[in-house]
Amino acid sequence: MQTPRPVLVVSIHDVSPLTRGRVGEMLADLANLGVERTSLLVIPNHHHKAPIVEDAGFCSWLRETAARGHEVILHGYYHKRPRRGGEWSQTFLTEFYTAGEGEFYDLSTREAGWRLEKGRQELQTAGLQPRGFIAPAWLLGEKAEAAVQAAGFDYTTRLKNFKDLKTGRVDDSQSLVWSVRAGWRRAASLWWNAALFRRLSRTPLLRFGLHPPDWDHPAIKGQILQLLRAALAGREVITYEDWFARSRTR
Ligand SMILES: [Zn+2]
């Protein structure tokens, strides 16, 4: 049997009416490199400020973008975690990347189910059919994961893996991701991602998780484009939806 060609999935997190202009620039830069398909992680009402249902222009832009081969994934509902206190901000590796945005980390199954249903319906109203759900900051609690599965989503991803929710199969692959909130974080990110990229040179699935603020910092954007160029030499660009479909037929 032929070994399948290794693949690359580029996802853009936090796509919403608040970030649409920047995401457009990112998509143009990526297309120039040859990355013409991405997985777009869409927030239905970003920080309670940007309901997609009230923004027909955003919805038609998203439909056109999806029609060109990009994938739309549901990414939380508001994205922000309700303040509940506790020690959580010191607890997680992913907090390094996220600043308290783990909306789906500690929701009850019922609350998670309600938000998932509402988010999906709003995307459907816009003419889009998300098959995947990815939690803000990749923080998906156990109860919330049960709700995602019950809602019928096909897959989710976390920082370190992709999970097929129909079979429970997990594919390990740590995502490259950049933290840009402070100078020291940017310096650490540049070092870390260069090392991670080398470590993942033979992985069947290579993942890049991009965020709109990455494009504010020329050194970060430069490294992302440089590593993508290197990855493209040996990999086919697909979406998470494709990865899900292909691994089911293997
Ligand atoms: Zn996010």
Side-chain angles (χ1 to χ4, degrees), residues 113-227:
W114 177 83
R115 292 185 190 212
L116 288 164
E117 205 37 59
K118 194 164 155 60
R120 179 161 53 194
Q121 270 173 19
E122 291 178 6
L123 283 171
Q124 280 171 350
T125 304
L128 299 154
Q129 310 291 336
R131 300 306 315 152
F133 174 82
I134 299 178
W138 287 299
L139 292 174
L140 184 64
E142 229 169 86
K143 289 181 190 145
E145 180 179 322
V148 174
Q149 194 177 19
F153 285 92
D154 288 335
Y155 62 84
T156 190
T157 72
R158 290 186 167 87
L159 175 63
K160 295 194 176 182
N161 56 51
F162 172 98
K163 184 169 188 180
D164 180 329
L165 294 170
K166 302 294 186 199
T167 62
R169 197 200 65 248
V170 171
D171 300 314
D172 291 326
S173 171
Q174 178 152 356
S175 183
L176 279 79
V177 61
W178 285 259
S179 173
V180 300
R181 273 182 286 141
W184 69 269
R185 289 169 181 272
R186 294 193 288 277
S189 280
L190 290 171
W191 173 84
W192 169 253
N193 285 294
L196 183 61
F197 185 80
R198 283 193 297 274
R199 180 152 72 77
L200 295 173
S201 63
R202 286 166 187 281
T203 186
L205 166 66
L206 182 65
R207 306 164 58 206
F208 276 62
L210 311 184
H211 291 81
D214 295 348
W215 253 235
D216 290 331
H217 305 281
I220 300 288
K221 175 179 162 182
Q223 185 187 48
I224 291 170
L225 296 177
Q226 176 214 332
L227 295 180

Side-chain angles (χ1 to χ4, degrees), residues 93-122:
L93 168 65
T94 38
E95 177 61 15
F96 181 80
Y97 304 110
T98 59
E101 303 271 309
E103 180 187 14
F104 274 72
Y105 178 65
D106 49 5
L107 289 182
S108 67
T109 309
R110 190 155 158 252
E111 178 66 20
W114 177 83
R115 292 185 190 212
L116 288 164
E117 205 37 59
K118 194 164 155 60
R120 179 161 53 194
Q121 270 173 19
E122 291 178 6

Side-chain angles (χ1 to χ4, degrees), residues 25 39 50 53 80 89 147 168 186 203 225:
E25 279 171 50
S39 291
V53 284
K80 236 186 168 47
S89 69
R186 294 193 288 277
T203 186
L225 296 177

